[in-house]
Structure formats: structure tokens, C-alpha cells
Amino acid sequence: MKLISIVVPCYNEEESLPLFYEEIQKIMKQMQDEHPDLLFELVFIDDGSRDKTLEILRSMALQDKRVRYISFSRNFGKEAGMYAGLENAKGDFVVVMDADLQHPPAFLPRMYNYVKDGEFDCATTRRVSRQGESKIRSAFARLFYKIMNKISQTEIVDGAQDFRFMTRQMVNSILEMPEYNRFSKGIFSWVGFKTKYIEYENVERQVGTSSWSFWGLFRYSLEGIFAFSTAPLAAAAILGMLSCLIGLILFILWIVQAVGDSIQAAQTGLFCALFFLGGLQLFCTGILGQYFAKTYLETKHRPIYIMRENEEIYRKRQNPDHAKK
Ligand code: UDP
Ligand code: MG
């Protein structure tokens, strides 16, 4: 028998969850009809939702033995949710997908075909269009991928998503990267392995709203850059050298002007250089500070997530006699 774990991070998904559950059940049944040796488990992560997500998960877990869940003590972010799911999944294969049906479950049978015989270690989807997304957002996303792939050794494929069908071997490799500042798109790519990209048109969210704001995404992309590239550090050093050179030229100019007695011009030049160098220094210190901050957070060895409840705790609470046996 082969077990497939489906990991689903959920943050305020009370509207999406019933729809998702219905869809995924159909697909699980279809796959089991095709491959009778398949078993499934659903691992939902309640990422500190403020709506009825946890209640829905509880009742699902009571009715369906395949449903497991981990409920966080607060909102830790999708990255932490995915990590918790991967860490707790027991399957020979692990799927990571969103709850909002933007990662269509209908792809799963095809993805399984790619990984089942070991031809690929990972099957994932790649959006070829960004339909339904604002123009500015798409433009910034493209820019991010361009910069990222120029300055980082780790390739981040434009349009690649966190919808992944992975082998146990690949999941174990990902779990060996317990870094606190997580950027999954980079991590998936950094561990390597053979990945199959299935191209498809973007699907819009069925219900509810995206929990990513523009600034949230912007911060996330900076996270990606600082976590997977040290190029900004080199850029800071080069910029510093360049400005020293400019400073030297300005100094010579200043002496020449001073001899010609144009004090006014000399003053302007001096202020110009002062501001320029001051700004540059702050900029470079800022870049250094970013890496320093990341290192600081890593050295604290804080847990990536904190669990408040899971299906086992809940079942025991509901039925204490059963738990004693
Ligand atoms: N999500 C999460 N924690 C968060 C934000 C989002 O677990 O802090 C989940 C969310 O429930 C969904 C997935 O991550 O299953 C993708 O989120 P969303 O649809 O808001 O992002 P988008 O599709 O716009 O990238
Ligand atoms: Mg979504």
C-alpha cells in the first residue's frame, strides 16, 4: 500500500473548506479506483484562523478518519503552515496545495503519474497566465523573478507555485532545512531533484479573498532575495568603492576651484559630496543590517510554529474513555 498525504494550509478558509473537501474526495476516489493500492490522509493546518475554520476541521476529523489537522496558537504564516504539514505528514508521497481551489485537485492524477515510478521526484504546476491579477501586481512579480534569477544561484521559475506532489525522499530533504526565514519557492528549488512542470492557465479564487496584500507580497519577495542571494552585499561593497572614487575626484575638483577662488562653488560641491556619501553609507549599512537581522533570528532557534491542538487531542477530549483504553 502507498500512502499519499495532502497538506493544506488554511487561514480563514471557512467558505473554501467545504468546497475543497468535496472536490478532493471525488479525486481521491477516482485515484483509488485507478490504483487500488493507494491510501490517503488529509493534513490541514489551521494557521490561527479567526473564523470557523477550526470548527469545520474538528467536525471533519470526527467523521472522517483520513482527516488530520494541526491548529496553531496564532497566525504563523503560510510558510510555517507548509513546514508543519510536511513535518507531520506520514505519506510515501506528499502533496502541498491551497484550500481555495486555485490549485485544482483535478491535476493530482496526472501529477501522480509523473512521480509514481520514480521518473520525477516532484510534479508541480506553472501558471502561464496571470489572469485575474492586477496589472501592477503582475509587473512587480515579473520584475522580482527577473532580479532573483540574475542575482541568485538558486533558480526560481516564474509562475511556479506551491502546488507540489513530492516523493518522501524530497520531503525529507526539505525538512533538513529547518531555517526560520523560510522562502519555499527557493527551498523547493535549492534541494534539487527532478521536477516536472505542468503548465496551466491561472484559476481565480472561488470564494473568500486572498490574504496577501501588495506590501505583504513585497516583503515576501525581499525575504526571498535576502534568503537566497548575497548579491546585495556585494553590490553594497561595489557601490561603496565607486563612491570613494567619486569622492576623490570631487576632492581634486575642490582644490582646483578653491585656487580659482570660487568659494561658492566649492561649498556646493562639498555639501553635495557630504549628502551623497552619507546616503550611500546608510544604504550599505542597511543592506548589512538585513543580513544581520536574518542571522539574529536564526540564532535564536525559535520554533517555526506552535501547535495548540490537533485531531488526536480533540478526539481524546471528546471521548475520554476511548483514549484510556
Ligand atoms: N494561508 C495560510 N496562512 C496565511 C496566509 C495564507 O495558511 O497567513 C493559506 C491560505 O489559507 C491558502 C493559501 O495559504 O490556502 C494561499 O493563500 P491565498 O489564497 O490568500 O494566497 P494567493 O492565492 O493569493 O497567493
Ligand atoms: Mg489563493
Side-chain angles (χ1 to χ4, degrees):
M1 291 308 245
K2 280 182 202 154
L3 178 67
I4 298 182
S5 306
I6 301 177
V7 169
V8 191
C10 308
Y11 178 55
N12 297 341
E13 297 286 5
E14 61 177 7
E15 286 172 282
S16 307
L17 269 179
L19 298 176
F20 175 83
Y21 186 50
E22 200 178 302
E23 283 296 307
I24 203 78
Q25 269 179 315
K26 277 187 223 154
I27 297 293
M28 291 194 296
K29 184 155 185 322
Q30 181 196 327
M31 285 175 79
Q32 273 168 333
D33 288 344
E34 257 174 70
H35 312 272
D37 62 334
L38 285 185
L39 288 173
F40 284 91
E41 69 168 359
L42 293 165
V43 185
F44 291 97
I45 316 297
D46 165 38
D47 187 8
S49 301
R50 287 159 205 272
D51 63 356
K52 296 213 167 60
T53 301
L54 180 59
E55 274 95 323
I56 295 172
L57 291 178
R58 280 175 178 158
S59 74
M60 270 159 61
L62 280 187
Q63 283 160 20
D64 187 341
K65 276 226 141 61
R66 295 171 301 180
V67 174
R68 297 171 54 207
Y69 70 84
I70 296 160
S71 180
F72 287 176
S73 59
R74 64 168 169 86
N75 179 255
F76 278 86
K78 187 187 175 189
E79 288 291 341
M82 287 199 285
Y83 184 81
L86 293 180
E87 193 174 49
N88 288 281
K90 297 175 181 152
D92 303 294
F93 296 96
V94 181
V95 179
V96 180
M97 63 195 298
D98 287 0
D100 57 7
L101 294 172
Q102 274 187 307
H103 296 163
F107 275 107
L108 292 179
R110 255 176 85 193
M111 291 167 116
Y112 178 61
N113 283 336
Y114 283 115
V115 295
K116 73 174 194 300
D117 302 319
E119 190 194 348
F120 289 96
D121 306 288
C122 174
T124 183
T125 52
R126 197 172 88 86
R127 288 192 292 186
V128 284
S129 77
R130 287 183 169 267
Q131 225 171 36
E133 209 179 56
S134 85
K135 286 235 165 63
I136 305 178
R137 204 162 161 150
S138 303
F140 269 99
R142 290 233 170 75
L143 184 71
F144 165 70
Y145 285 110
K146 241 196 201 137
I147 295 176
M148 192 68 202
N149 285 319
K150 276 255 156 61
I151 66 176
S152 169
Q153 259 78 36
T154 310
E155 199 202 354
I156 315 271
V157 176
D158 187 0
Q161 292 171 309
D162 301 333
F163 182 17
R164 305 253 162 181
F165 203 123
M166 292 175 281
T167 58
R168 170 52 46 188
Q169 194 192 7
M170 180 159 170
V171 171
N172 286 346
S173 308
I174 291 170
L175 289 175
E176 274 174 37
M177 298 174 78
E179 54 207 72
Y180 183 79
N181 297 285
R182 301 189 74 75
F183 181 70
S184 278
K185 283 187 169 73
I187 292 176
F188 286 140
S189 160
W190 191 90
V191 293
F193 294 103
K194 283 206 160 65
T195 301
K196 172 71 192 173
Y197 290 95
I198 303 170
E199 302 198 339
Y200 86 115
E201 298 284 320
N202 190 26
V203 182
E204 281 180 54
R205 202 179 225 280
Q206 301 281 317
V207 283
T209 47
S210 167
S211 35
W212 285 100
S213 65
F214 180 80
W215 284 111
L217 273 179
F218 184 70
R219 277 205 308 274
Y220 186 62
S221 53
L222 284 185
E223 182 84 28
I225 289 176
F226 288 122
F228 278 88
S229 164
T230 45
L233 277 176
I238 293 171
L239 227 67
M241 271 190 304
L242 269 178
S243 92
C244 281
L245 209 73
I246 294 173
L248 203 75
I249 295 168
L250 277 176
F251 182 68
I252 296 168
L253 217 74
W254 177 65
I255 291 176
V256 172
Q257 279 179 333
V259 168
D261 207 25
S262 92
I263 296 164
Q264 197 84 47
Q267 265 178 349
T268 327
L270 201 64
F271 274 117
C272 199
L274 215 68
F275 272 95
F276 179 66
L277 284 179
L280 199 71
Q281 267 171 355
L282 270 182
F283 177 66
C284 293
T285 322
I287 290 177
L288 271 172
Q290 281 299 319
Y291 286 95
F292 181 70
K294 300 283 160 200
T295 318
Y296 173 62
L297 284 176
E298 293 292 346
T299 50
K300 283 188 176 189
H301 294 296
R302 283 187 180 161
I304 294 169
Y305 67 91
I306 294 170
M307 182 182 84
R308 185 173 164 269
E309 175 186 320
N310 66 5
E311 83 288 345
E312 260 172 51
I313 297 175
Y314 181 65
R315 280 182 196 144
K316 271 182 203 159
R317 211 194 297 152
Q318 291 303 101
N319 195 351
D321 297 336
H322 182 72
K324 268 181 216 147
K325 275 177 214 162

